Amino acid sequence: MTEAEDRKPRSDEARYDPEITSEFAIPAGLDVPKTAGEPETTSEFALPEGLETPHTPGAEPEGSAFSPPSTYGAKDSLTAFTPATGVPLVSLVKDAPWQDRMRTMLRMPVAERPAPELVQRTEEEGPAVPRVLDLTLRIGELLLAGGEGAEDVETAMFAVCRSYGLDRCEPNVTFTLLSISHQPSLVEDPVTASRTVRRRGTDYTRLAAVFRLVDDLTDPETHVSLEEAYRRLAEIRRNRHPYPGWALTLASGLLAGAASVLVGGDLIVFVAAAMGAMLGDRLAWLCAGRGLPEFYQFTVAAMPPAAVGVAFALAHVDVKASAVVTGGLFALLPGRALVAGVQDGLTGFYITASARLLEVLYFFVGIVAGVLVVLYFGVKVGGKLNPDAALVINERPLIQIAASMLLSLTFAVLLQQERSTVLWVTLNGGVAWTVYGAMHYVADISPVASTAVAAGLVGLFGQLLSRYRFASALPYTTAAIGPLLPGSATYFGLLNMAQNEVNKGLVSLANAASLAMAIAIGVNLGSEVFRLFLRVGSPGKRKSAKRTRGF
């Protein structure tokens, strides 16, 4: 008997042994195929039998998870996965400004984005990924804290990452939180970093310097190392404001005086409105030094102009007391935050837009509280304030144009703009008021439509100047919308409410809200019209977000 025959009976005995009670025992009558002694493969990724895979002569290096496999062919792809309307072709022009190129790529799927051109990589292996992400977050923090829109902040962050070779980056911007994630491939661990924006300051000089830094990083002819970028960013943060505190207070007074002239005030009204606004500005600075929130700062700053107007009414001085209060409100209305909030909503950043608009609402409520308290006590002690004075505004075109330009100039100083941009924004504000006056006072068109058209021209010219100077559009648009702010409608709405005419007051406040929305939408629409029709440095069509139309 051979050795194999000697093993077989023992195997059969073990198989039919009744003492074996395990549920894993092989039942009787079941033949198990004999194996060659190889270990059993238990992975679910193992190739099943009968599936033949092509074998290449040499081993291929492992590529990116985002790249198609070597066996893939475009001719053999199934047409069932192609959209019915086809795949839109996005054209990227290298000569276009970096804002347009990065915005276009941000709206593309990750797999469709072109490979980055390694502009700033000075070493063969490139800079460390965490340091690049940290630099990106610091740049985004300065832009967001300076009042830049969420879409422009994401565009700048994406541009910085791509300039250092990080192509698969996804920035995310909310009102107070910045985050960015980089994942080289699906088989590598992602790197994510975040930063919280806790302080906000209005300094458009710093904003313009950050834009110049991003422009240098994205320029293929300008090589800026990571250490050099950190050094320039530190200098930007340490730079002092271009205008001292006393200049800001004086600009606040001149802004209020110019606004009072726009609504029919004379020289006495100009001086009174300027004094009230400067007193309110100093009180707001005092509250800020004590650490009070901005809500109370706006409340305190709104009281002195209203008190000056009530004092004129109680003294029976033959001046327009309403123009004094209206001029003081012009210096407080948060037009910058309103435009940024509406722009974020129109571009799809709804969380950031909601937070910005809620901030505007709180500031507006603080202004309302401060003015209402003063007007209520003024009416109680016998002050004669006439709400119908809103219907009587003297038409003085040359004086009003000069006042609008002065208002834009002082607004630019309050925003801490560069001195080279003050002249441009002053002219832009004069053009805005000229268009508004021609449409509303001459052509008798509704104030909402006139405001929207004038704000659209402000956005159009601001976008043109920003492309010409390779900078942000905010320094050329924010101060120029100052003459269009609804200061008089806000004041007369509050006055009606103080005189127990709630319905008229709500109508006037609704009119003020309509004018404010017309300003914000007009500025954004003017910028979009520039991208659509004026091809000066523009890549042409910009791929928009897909709309599902409800399905």
Side-chain angles (χ1 to χ4, degrees), residues 306 309-310 313 321-323 325-326 329 368 371-380 383-390 487-506 508-509:
V310 171
S322 59
V325 184
T326 300
L329 292 180
V368 167
V371 175
L372 271 181
V373 168
V374 176
L375 292 181
Y376 179 78
F377 284 103
V379 171
K380 288 297 183 181
K384 301 297 182 180
L385 299 172
N386 184 17
D388 296 331
S488 59
T490 303
Y491 163 69
F492 288 108
L494 299 179
L495 181 58
N496 283 317
M497 295 182 68
Q499 294 178 346
N500 292 326
E501 297 179 358
V502 180
N503 292 332
K504 291 184 178 180
L506 292 178
S508 184
L509 290 179

Side-chain angles (χ1 to χ4, degrees), residues 241-285:
H241 297 305
Y243 306 103
W246 64 266
L248 299 181
T249 301
L250 179 61
S252 178
L254 293 178
L255 190 154
S260 65
V261 174
L262 284 179
V263 294
D266 52 11
L267 181 59
I268 298 178
V269 172
F270 179 93
V271 176
M275 296 299 296
M278 287 190 290
L279 179 59
D281 183 77
R282 286 291 90 190
L283 291 177
W285 277 96

Side-chain angles (χ1 to χ4, degrees), residues 147-165:
E148 194 65 68
E151 185 181 30
D152 294 328
V153 175
E154 280 196 359
T155 302
M157 294 172 64
F158 188 70
V160 174
C161 287
R162 285 187 64 88
S163 65
Y164 286 104

Side-chain angles (χ1 to χ4, degrees), residues 173-197:
V173 176
T174 59
F175 186 59
T176 57
L177 182 64
L178 299 170
S179 64
I180 188 167
S181 177
H182 169 65
Q183 186 175 11
S185 65
L186 292 178
V187 297
E188 298 184 45
D189 295 333
V191 180
T192 303
S194 61
R195 194 172 183 88
T196 303
V197 180

Side-chain angles (χ1 to χ4, degrees), residues 31-41 49:
D31 294 332
V32 181
K34 296 180 180 181
T35 60
E38 296 180 358
E40 184 179 358
T41 304
E49 295 183 1

Side-chain angles (χ1 to χ4, degrees), residues 28 37 41 54 88 103 108 127 160 214 218 277 337 366 384 412 423 442 522 530 540 543:
T41 304
R103 186 182 291 110
M108 296 171 60
V160 174
V214 178
T218 56
K384 301 297 182 180
L423 176 61
V442 179
F530 176 87
K543 188 175 181 180

Side-chain angles (χ1 to χ4, degrees), residues 13-314:
E13 290 177 1
R15 185 168 57 178
Y16 298 108
D17 189 357
E19 295 182 359
I20 299 177
T21 58
S22 173
E23 64 273 18
F24 297 101
I26 302 174
L30 180 62
D31 294 332
V32 181
K34 296 180 180 181
T35 60
E38 296 180 358
E40 184 179 358
T41 304
T42 59
S43 173
E44 65 271 21
F45 297 100
L47 294 176
E49 295 183 1
L51 181 61
E52 300 295 337
T53 58
H55 296 280
T56 56
E60 295 181 358
E62 183 180 0
S64 173
F66 294 92
S67 59
S70 59
T71 58
Y72 173 81
K75 296 181 179 179
D76 301 330
S77 61
L78 299 178
T79 58
F81 297 97
T82 304
T85 57
V87 179
L89 179 63
V90 180
S91 177
L92 293 175
V93 181
K94 293 184 178 181
D95 296 334
W98 63 266
Q99 297 96 322
D100 289 337
R101 290 187 285 110
M102 298 303 151
R103 186 182 291 110
T104 302
M105 281 188 283
L106 265 179
R107 298 192 176 192
M108 296 171 60
V110 178
E112 298 180 9
R113 293 173 184 170
E117 298 178 0
L118 306 182
V119 177
Q120 306 300 335
R121 178 172 291 186
T122 56
E123 302 176 359
E124 184 177 355
E125 67 277 5
V129 173
R131 294 194 65 195
V132 175
L133 298 184
D134 178 71
L135 175 67
T136 303
L137 289 174
R138 292 177 182 273
I139 289 177
E141 179 189 11
L142 287 180
L143 293 176
L144 188 63
E148 194 65 68
E151 185 181 30
D152 294 328
V153 175
E154 280 196 359
T155 302
M157 294 172 64
F158 188 70
V160 174
C161 287
R162 285 187 64 88
S163 65
Y164 286 104
L166 307 184
D167 54 340
R168 296 181 181 92
C169 290
E170 289 296 332
N172 187 20
V173 176
T174 59
F175 186 59
T176 57
L177 182 64
L178 299 170
S179 64
I180 188 167
S181 177
H182 169 65
Q183 186 175 11
S185 65
L186 292 178
V187 297
E188 298 184 45
D189 295 333
V191 180
T192 303
S194 61
R195 194 172 183 88
T196 303
V197 180
R198 303 191 182 276
R199 290 191 59 186
R200 299 179 182 275
T202 304
D203 190 345
Y204 281 4
T205 301
R206 179 180 298 175
L207 191 69
V210 175
F211 258 77
R212 284 193 294 268
L213 173 59
V214 178
D215 184 65
D216 290 341
L217 291 176
T218 56
D219 188 2
E221 299 181 357
T222 304
H223 297 281
V224 181
S225 63
L226 196 61
E227 289 73 15
E228 176 67 15
Y230 267 107
R231 186 192 64 80
R232 290 180 57 178
L233 191 63
E235 289 182 355
I236 293 172
R237 297 180 67 94
R238 288 196 302 264
N239 280 347
R240 298 177 61 88
H241 297 305
Y243 306 103
W246 64 266
L248 299 181
T249 301
L250 179 61
S252 178
L254 293 178
L255 190 154
S260 65
V261 174
L262 284 179
V263 294
D266 52 11
L267 181 59
I268 298 178
V269 172
F270 179 93
V271 176
M275 296 299 296
M278 287 190 290
L279 179 59
D281 183 77
R282 286 291 90 190
L283 291 177
W285 277 96
L286 180 62
C287 293
R290 298 294 181 179
L292 290 179
E294 287 184 295
F295 176 86
Y296 301 106
Q297 297 177 27
F298 275 84
T299 302
V300 172
M303 288 183 176
V308 172
V310 171
F312 275 119
L314 292 175

